[in-house]
Amino acid sequence: MELTTTFHALKEWSVAVNALESGQTIMLLRKGGIHERGGRFTVAHERVLLHPTYEHQQSFMLKAEYADLVYPVTSGWHPETTRIGSWAEITDILPVADESIVSKLLPFHIWNEYFISDRLKWKPRQPLYILLLRTYKLPQVQYIPYLPEYGGCKSWIDLNQQVQLEGSKAVLSDDVYGKLVETIRGIIV
């Protein structure tokens, strides 16, 4: 049965969501939010809306071409409405603990070497999770009201409304996405 609506969302930096939506990356690097169950990152849902966040974006952790795209905000700030323009299928979840392997992935994501080093040092016994996402643009952007339960350092939220997925278009072709996945898997495995 084909998924036609969802209310499950993955929170990610707005600059990363924009890069996924424009086909500049298919990769996210995660260790999990402070409020993750058991303090560990897990994938709660394989098909998720991409929910942009702003508060924890740090331009100094991004490659130069993305650093200027960060909208600086004060702690606790959030928009009154959130733009939901895409959803993704998480096709691969690849745990990596070796910094040299993660460094080889640098051309495939938006973060810089400092971000990689910082993430590997935080909770050093836990791997960094490489998520590969097949991103789809919604046929019509949705604006949802911000609710307090969407806040906090957590990766996964359930929106209070369903979002229609029918009519969505893949950002990258099957061929382009498949080749990127194959290359990235080749580096990791």
Side-chain angles (χ1 to χ4, degrees):
M1 184 172 158
E2 189 66 28
L3 185 67
T4 58
T5 64
T6 191
F7 60 93
H8 304 303
L10 171 62
K11 291 173 55 177
E12 184 54 77
W13 289 5
S14 176
V15 67
V17 170
N18 291 338
L20 288 164
E21 288 182 350
S22 63
Q24 295 171 342
T25 188
I26 66 166
M27 183 185 298
L28 295 178
L29 308 175
R30 299 303 290 257
K31 271 234 177 155
I34 293 167
H35 299 294
E36 300 290 346
R37 188 177 318 197
R40 295 183 172 274
F41 179 76
T42 57
V43 173
H45 308 282
E46 291 179 0
R47 292 185 177 186
V48 291
L49 299 164
L50 296 175
H51 186 282
T53 62
Y54 300 88
E55 185 176 359
H56 297 296
Q57 293 187 117
Q58 301 291 330
S59 58
F60 69 90
M61 292 187 165
L62 296 163
K63 292 177 186 171
E65 61 266 37
Y66 298 100
D68 289 340
L69 303 175
V70 171
Y71 180 75
V73 300
T74 58
S75 181
W77 182 89
H78 54 78
E80 289 183 25
T81 59
T82 302
R83 178 193 176 278
I84 304 291
S86 60
W87 65 278
E89 179 180 1
I90 301 170
T91 63
D92 292 76
I93 306 160
L94 307 163
V96 180
D98 184 332
E99 188 166 356
S100 68
I101 292 173
V102 180
S103 293
K104 290 177 187 173
L105 297 171
L106 201 57
F108 299 97
H109 58 76
I110 67 171
W111 294 280
N112 62 24
E113 295 90 345
Y114 178 81
F115 178 91
I116 293 168
S117 177
D118 181 66
R119 287 299 183 257
L120 287 170
K121 288 177 185 169
W122 185 63
K123 297 184 179 182
R125 291 191 177 107
Q126 294 182 24
L128 185 63
Y129 290 93
I130 310 301
L131 303 182
L132 303 184
L133 291 85
R134 181 77 193 269
T135 303
Y136 297 84
K137 284 194 171 183
L138 294 172
Q140 185 173 348
V141 172
Q142 305 289 309
Y143 290 90
I144 59 162
Y146 177 84
L147 298 176
E149 56 261 37
Y150 300 163
C153 295
K154 53 191 169 194
S155 300
W156 309 101
I157 58 173
D158 286 339
L159 304 178
N160 73 340
Q161 64 191 67
Q162 295 276 345
V163 173
Q164 282 285 349
L165 305 180
E166 287 181 287
S168 297
K169 303 278 188 234
V171 170
L172 299 174
S173 70
D174 291 345
D175 187 50
V176 170
Y177 186 78
K179 286 179 181 173
L180 283 167
V181 169
E182 186 178 324
T183 301
I184 292 165
R185 285 181 187 157
I187 292 169
I188 294 173
V189 178

